[in-house]
Amino acid sequence: MNNKSNQPLFITLEGSEGVGKTSNLEYIKSLLDGAGIEYIETREPGGTPLGEALRNTLLGEDFKGMSDDTELMLMFAARAEHVAQVIRPALEQGQWVLCDRFTDSTYAYQGGGRQLDMDRIAGLEQWVLGDLRPDITLLLDAPVDIGRERAGKRSEPDRFEQERDAFFNRVRETYLARAKQEPDRIKVIDASKDLDNVQSQIKEVFDNLI
Ligand code: T5A
């Protein structure tokens, strides 16, 4: 784990649909507030006016049939803007960054789910991010049926949520494989448990961090 409390940290939250990222974001913010840490909260795709417009394009119905390569490049176009306009400036000013999804989502969804070439994704990552990587990533992990059931109760499915279980099983497997490759950065949280239990797992990670 990158424990360097005198440096602003770049924290990302990852996981498949409905695992509880939005629900736990508020809890993470309360931990940062409690520790008196200055931070910004942001999300992907999105985080800038252009990024939010691209989010609507990516998640909505208007361009439902876009090619997988187009989808990949729009994710990175939104990310390039986000990194240049929001993430790098915040870190340079000493603010921590709390981001709902980042490049691990691209590996999981476009690489795992859509089965695009991982090396191509790595090439785009290097081009767009240079040496910028999250310091800590919380991976909320739960079986696909649990996430689907939770997400289904909440709202109409977006373009990704309409994918089949096989897609989301590949997404989950890709996330878990990445966590295995980078155990210091990616902390797996068992999100199938109740919210109190999930939050105590998150607190344990933050107790080591703050
Ligand atoms: N995407 C994104 C890519 O394909 N490539 C990329 O590079 C990027 C950046 C973004 C979509 O874009 C894709 C991935 C996504 O499909 P999104 O809105 O960020 O969309 O992601 P979603 O996963 O769709 O977010 P959701 O809001 O659906 O899921 P959350 O935030 O994980 O779940 P949340 O917190 O809304 O919880 C869902 C329900 O479950 C309950 C909550 O109360 C809520 O009702 N809940 C629990 N219930 C019981 N026990 C728990 N532990 C619970 N935790 C939450």
Side-chain angles (χ1 to χ4, degrees):
M1 182 180 298
N2 199 345
N3 190 350
K4 45 174 188 178
S5 51
N6 55 339
Q7 297 278 331
L9 296 187
F10 179 19
I11 301 169
T12 59
L13 208 52
E14 293 281 358
S16 190
E17 313 301 299
V19 288
K21 293 179 309 307
T22 309
S23 308
N24 287 296
L25 209 62
E26 289 307 314
Y27 178 66
I28 294 171
K29 284 161 61 181
S30 75
L31 295 177
L32 296 177
D33 288 335
I37 288 167
E38 273 194 46
Y39 64 92
I40 60 153
E41 175 197 355
T42 186
R43 69 172 182 181
E44 289 211 344
T48 65
L50 174 56
E52 292 295 326
L54 291 173
R55 179 186 180 92
N56 290 337
T57 300
L58 280 157
L59 269 55
E61 295 286 319
D62 288 355
F63 303 99
K64 205 169 170 215
M66 75 175 74
S67 82
D68 293 349
D69 282 347
T70 305
E71 179 182 287
L72 172 66
M73 288 187 282
L74 288 179
M75 289 292 177
F76 269 104
R79 185 162 299 134
E81 185 72 1
H82 194 202
V83 166
Q85 305 286 355
V86 175
I87 296 178
R88 277 194 197 281
L91 292 170
E92 280 163 15
Q93 286 163 23
Q95 289 178 308
W96 290 33
V97 174
L98 178 57
C99 190
D100 186 349
R101 296 192 179 279
F102 198 61
T103 312
D104 291 304
S105 284
T106 314
Y107 281 103
Y109 282 77
Q110 282 65 50
R114 302 270 189 242
Q115 300 181 290
L116 293 181
D117 182 355
M118 296 286 185
D119 288 341
R120 246 202 240 182
I121 298 174
L124 286 166
E125 179 182 37
Q126 193 54 39
W127 178 21
V128 169
L129 301 185
D131 60 0
L132 178 72
R133 298 289 183 279
D135 295 297
I136 288 291
T137 297
L138 295 174
L139 170 56
L140 300 185
D141 174 63
V144 168
D145 52 343
I146 292 185
R148 261 207 193 283
E149 199 198 326
R150 288 182 191 163
K153 281 186 191 153
R154 200 207 37 204
S155 57
E156 285 300 302
D158 65 32
R159 201 171 65 84
F160 288 99
E161 288 166 348
Q162 292 169 22
E163 289 294 337
R164 295 175 187 281
D165 281 359
F167 176 95
F168 289 109
N169 280 318
R170 291 196 297 273
V171 168
R172 185 181 183 208
E173 280 161 21
T174 307
Y175 270 133
L176 291 174
R178 290 180 67 72
K180 226 173 181 175
Q181 279 166 5
E182 293 188 66
D184 281 350
R185 174 174 71 87
I186 304 180
K187 303 295 173 193
V188 182
I189 305 290
D190 181 353
S192 67
K193 306 276 194 234
D194 65 43
L195 207 52
D196 283 349
N197 183 303
V198 172
Q199 293 182 345
S200 65
Q201 295 175 61
I202 291 174
K203 182 153 188 328
E204 211 176 305
V205 174
F206 274 78
D207 283 346
N208 286 325
L209 201 64
I210 299 176

